[in-house]
Amino acid sequence: MPTTACTSCAVAPTRLALCRIAKLILLALLTITGPAGAQWRLEGWFGDALNLGTPLTLEQDGQPAIRIDADWSTRPWRPTWYYSMRVAKWSGNSAWAVEYMHHKIYLDNPTPEVTRFRVTNGLNNLLLERHWRVGGGWEVGVGAGPLLAVPISTVRGESYGEANGVFGSRYELSGGTVMATVSRRLKLLPYTHGSLAIKTTFSRLDVPIADGRAKLDNLAVHFQYGLSLQSTP
């Protein structure tokens, strides 16, 4: 049926974009050299984020700009999940890592002109990171990288939610993110640890809306829980 065909056309470019992005992430990590006895880790988290209020500016062709002192929330389980994943290569007490953080933001105080604004599939942070062990199971790290956003909005009655992004997907290259983290690992089983992490991110976004652009900053504190699997004891 026409609806099914249209959906398939939209999904295919998005899957292709994600596959290409994943390949680039793995290539970046594999080019980081280290001793033969290095430890590899695969880590994943769920969680939530506290988003500070920040200004939102929306500009449309032929219209005066709209400025909102925006309040934001993450809503971690709807309609898509909030989560984060990392691959790390440890050598001694330091590591290089690549992290994918799927963050989301909803505008909680819409106006008559801006009835809907969200980036919910999501704020996709691709971060190259450096980490250090500081003792007692504690670790700290910093990172930075590009941000791919999926913006959805309705401004002055005009809606935006198109697939004009990277590789024809809905993922728009929209800005960048810097991150700092502190985490605690707790041994559960051989090669398996629980992980609790607090991460702070600052992102600057410039995303499309109908007939224009929206500009905003996102400052968030992330509270995450998950598992950490490692290649050596």
Side-chain angles (χ1 to χ4, degrees):
M1 295 179 64
T3 302
T4 304
C6 189
T7 301
S8 299
C9 291
V11 171
T14 299
R15 287 179 176 171
L16 178 61
L18 290 177
C19 289
R20 290 180 177 177
I21 290 166
K23 289 178 182 178
L24 290 174
I25 290 172
L26 290 174
L27 179 62
L29 189 61
L30 290 173
T31 57
I32 298 170
T33 60
Q39 180 192 81
W40 287 86
R41 282 193 203 163
L42 176 63
E43 299 170 294
W45 299 269
F46 293 114
D48 201 351
L50 174 64
N51 301 277
L52 278 66
T54 55
L56 168 64
T57 301
L58 305 102
E59 300 174 342
Q60 289 179 303
D61 296 340
Q63 298 282 357
I66 302 171
R67 293 180 176 84
I68 303 172
D69 291 327
D71 297 326
W72 306 101
S73 62
T74 290
R75 307 179 194 177
W77 300 110
R78 52 178 180 147
T80 57
W81 290 5
Y82 167 100
Y83 59 92
S84 191
M85 301 180 292
R86 179 194 293 151
V87 177
K89 186 178 184 180
W90 284 85
S91 301
N93 288 322
S94 62
W96 287 99
V98 174
E99 180 169 347
Y100 168 67
M101 182 188 294
H102 183 265
H103 182 32
K104 309 185 301 168
I105 55 173
Y106 291 78
L107 177 66
D108 284 341
N109 56 332
T111 70
E113 289 182 300
V114 184
T115 56
R116 180 179 63 159
F117 187 93
R118 66 179 192 257
V119 188
T120 53
N121 202 25
L123 270 73
N124 299 281
N125 298 294
L126 306 176
L127 304 170
L128 178 63
E129 301 174 349
R130 188 69 165 148
H131 294 267
W132 299 270
R133 292 190 178 100
V134 293
W138 291 91
E139 298 171 354
V140 297
V142 293
L147 184 156
L148 298 172
V150 181
I152 300 171
S153 62
T154 303
V155 181
R156 294 188 175 103
E158 298 292 331
S159 295
Y160 182 89
E162 301 175 10
N164 294 323
V166 177
F167 306 126
S169 72
R170 296 181 65 188
Y171 292 82
E172 308 272 356
L173 182 59
S174 301
T177 297
V178 293
M179 184 276 298
T181 179
V182 57
S183 62
R184 177 77 161 87
R185 299 176 80 237
L186 305 168
K187 187 171 183 178
L188 303 176
L189 296 167
Y191 305 97
T192 305
H193 288 68
S195 177
L196 300 174
I198 298 176
K199 302 174 184 177
T200 301
T201 56
F202 176 78
S203 304
R204 179 150 289 177
L205 292 86
D206 183 339
V207 299
I209 59 175
D211 300 322
R213 308 288 299 183
K215 298 179 181 179
L216 66 143
D217 295 334
N218 178 249
L219 180 58
V221 181
H222 306 257
F223 303 92
Q224 300 181 344
Y225 57 91
L227 288 177
S228 175
L229 308 178
Q230 60 192 49
S231 62
T232 59

